[in-house]
């Protein structure tokens, strides 16, 4: 049973710098559901990260409304928004955003500690999440002592560790070889099957076979979503 988690109603995003304004996202009405792995595809600069950032309540749209489970996000204060992100949303950013002075394990523990989970429980959960992405042998490494693909996997573990309702990933397989990418995608697909809304921005055509739904973005315009019937079971 899938349920709409996030809804964008007549949303757009315009960036103004000096006299020029860039429409990063043209007016869009779209919903994202639980139990689905949704891919957002499109060329560089087309507005994919902008769309994902609005869905993830990281940025407010210029116009329009965003609803998270019937709650109007665009009416929430910054504090309430931060709370929603911390408890309900897991992010895997395009640039990983790991904290450099912290080890892989400490990075993954971080969101739990922010939620005031005990150190002991945070450590147990973080170890499990790192095991799920095959990184048990690198838990004490600092980010600078990890490869790009390993950093990517730490950031995926960090997104999963709080058991969020929605998982948003920006190019989660960009630094991974085919085998590691397939392992991560299977893991993300399992999470969708367990009921989460998994939304992934990617250029990687190989990922299409894992998708339940594919959305294309071009020059800020979001096309009608396509159900991936072949793979949708
Ligand atoms: N903070 C910002 N200020 C001004 N312009 C921005 C800002 N963020 C994005 N843009 C512009 O908005 C457009 C969409 O950017 P966005 O990052 O969403 O693209 P993208 O599809 O994620 O690209 P890529 O695949 O290269 O990551 C681009 O033209 C970009 O230059
Ligand atoms: Mg981007």
């Amino acid at each position: 049973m899938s349920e709409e988690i996030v809804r964008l109603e007549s949303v757009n995003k315009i960036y103004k710098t000096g006299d020029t304004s860039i429409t990063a996202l043209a007016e869009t009405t779209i919903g994202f559901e639980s139990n689905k792995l949704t891919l957002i595809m499109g060329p560089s600069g087309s507005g994919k990260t902008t769309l994902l950032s609005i869905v993830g309540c990281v940025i407010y749209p210029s116009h329009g409304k965003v609803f998270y489970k019937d709650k109007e996000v665009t009416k929430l204060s910054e504090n309430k928004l931060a709370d929603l992100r911390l408890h309900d949303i897991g992010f895997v950013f395009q640039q990983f955003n790991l904290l450099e002075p912290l080890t892989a394990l400490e990075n993954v523990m971080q969101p739990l500690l922010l939620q005031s989970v005990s150190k002991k429980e945070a450590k147990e959960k973080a170890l499990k999440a790192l095991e799920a992405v095959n990184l048990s042998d690198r838990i004490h490494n600092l980010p600078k002592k990890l490869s790009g693909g390993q950093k990517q996997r730490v950031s995926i573990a960090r997104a999963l560790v709080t058991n969020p309702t929605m998982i948003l990933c920006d190019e989660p397989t960009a630094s991974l070889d085919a085998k590691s990418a397939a392992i991560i995608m299977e893991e993300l697909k399992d999470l969708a099957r367990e009921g989460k809304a998994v939304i992934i921005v990617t250029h990687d055509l190989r990922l299409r076979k894992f998708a339940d739904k594919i959305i294309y973005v071009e020059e800020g315009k979001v096309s009608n979503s396509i159900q991936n019937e072949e793979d949708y079971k």
Side-chain angles (χ1 to χ4, degrees):
M1 282 289 281
S2 70
E3 163 203 6
E4 195 168 74
I5 302 288
V6 171
R7 178 154 192 83
L8 274 52
E9 271 181 19
S10 306
V11 156
N12 74 1
K13 184 71 185 179
I14 296 161
Y15 287 111
K16 290 202 175 77
T17 32
D19 294 343
T20 55
S21 63
I22 294 168
T23 303
L25 191 69
E27 192 177 307
T28 302
T29 295
I30 195 169
F32 293 89
E33 297 108 4
S34 64
N35 290 78
K36 273 198 182 133
L37 192 151
T38 304
L39 284 189
I40 299 174
M41 306 194 80
S44 180
S46 60
K48 304 182 299 296
T49 297
T50 305
L51 175 60
L52 198 72
S53 304
I54 293 172
V55 173
C57 310
V58 176
I59 57 171
Y60 289 109
S62 304
H63 300 280
K65 294 177 179 175
V66 179
F67 296 89
Y68 180 84
K69 290 185 180 169
D70 296 332
K71 214 188 294 171
E72 193 180 335
V73 171
T74 24
K75 277 191 179 154
L76 296 180
S77 65
E78 286 282 354
N79 273 347
K80 285 253 161 60
L81 211 59
D83 220 45
L84 173 71
R85 284 197 299 264
L86 180 61
H87 289 92
D88 290 33
I89 307 173
F91 284 99
V92 179
F93 294 99
Q94 203 163 5
Q95 308 298 340
F96 314 139
N97 291 10
L98 298 179
L99 299 170
E100 291 296 332
L102 302 186
T103 64
L105 178 62
E106 289 163 343
N107 263 285
V108 178
M109 286 168 67
Q110 210 56 28
L112 294 170
L113 297 176
L114 285 172
Q115 288 184 3
S116 307
V117 168
S118 76
K119 224 170 166 180
K120 181 168 173 276
E121 191 184 341
K123 190 173 172 185
E124 280 166 13
K125 287 188 170 166
L127 287 171
K128 242 189 228 163
L130 282 159
E131 194 185 330
V133 295
N134 266 318
L135 266 187
S136 296
D137 56 339
R138 291 287 186 281
I139 58 170
H140 297 303
N141 283 40
L142 292 173
K144 65 171 183 235
K145 296 267 172 76
L146 293 169
S147 72
Q150 288 166 342
K151 276 189 261 200
Q152 195 142 44
R153 283 185 277 154
V154 174
S155 75
I156 290 167
R158 185 182 54 183
L160 302 183
V161 79
T162 56
N163 192 28
T165 310
M166 187 159 76
I167 297 165
L168 307 181
C169 311
D170 206 343
E171 297 285 357
T173 60
S175 311
L176 302 180
D177 59 87
K179 192 174 157 218
S180 307
I183 291 170
I184 293 296
M185 288 306 291
E186 287 297 348
E187 169 85 359
L188 291 168
K189 181 120 200 178
D190 282 347
L191 291 167
R193 292 233 168 84
E194 286 165 19
K196 298 188 188 306
V198 182
I199 306 170
I200 301 175
V201 164
T202 187
H203 283 113
D204 192 341
L205 296 175
R206 297 173 304 179
L207 304 193
R208 284 183 301 188
K209 62 174 178 286
F210 298 99
D212 298 314
K213 192 169 153 185
I214 303 175
I215 289 164
Y216 292 94
V217 187
E218 218 165 337
E219 294 180 10
K221 292 194 185 69
V222 177
S223 72
N224 286 334
S225 51
I226 296 162
Q227 294 284 344
N228 207 359
E229 297 293 350
E230 174 200 287
D231 205 47
Y232 185 57
K233 292 157 215 118

